[in-house]
């Protein structure tokens, strides 16, 4: 193979290496997001089970509503909307 052909192939290989690194970065980011989503789904299920168990152990729904993160999120969202309007 000629020197010119070898240089061209080396340049193309270098470009391909950069592209593959970018593809690898994307794959890693997607995998990280999927893992985080799976962890969130599991955490939500654990939270729901804990609240259900608390009801069985004598807590009332009203008492649990006071400590529910979903309720706190709704309050913060309502305050933000009121302030922004």
């Amino acid at each position: 193979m000629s020197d010119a052909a070898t240089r061209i192939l080396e340049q193309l290989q270098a470009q391909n290496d950069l592209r593959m690194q970018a593809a690898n970065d994307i794959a890693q980011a997607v995998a990280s997001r999927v893992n985080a989503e799976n962890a969130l789904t599991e955490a939500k299920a654990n939270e729901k089970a804990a609240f259900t168990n608390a009801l069985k152990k004598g807590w009332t729904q009203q008492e649990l509503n006071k400590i529910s993160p979903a309720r706190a999120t709704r309050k913060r969202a309502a305050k933000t909307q009121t302030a922004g309007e």
Side-chain angles (χ1 to χ4, degrees), residues 36-55:
E37 288 172 347
N38 290 340
L40 177 60
T41 298
E42 184 178 346
K44 284 180 177 181
N46 291 341
E47 178 183 19
K48 183 176 179 179
F51 273 87
T52 300
N53 189 40
L55 287 170

Side-chain angles (χ1 to χ4, degrees), residues 1-12:
M1 189 177 315
S2 71
D3 288 342
T6 301
R7 281 193 302 273
I8 290 171
L9 289 174
E10 287 172 352
Q11 288 173 349
L12 291 173

Side-chain angles (χ1 to χ4, degrees), residues 19-32:
R19 291 174 57 158
M20 287 305 296
Q21 183 57 51
N24 184 54
D25 292 346
I26 291 169
Q28 294 298 322
V30 169
S32 178

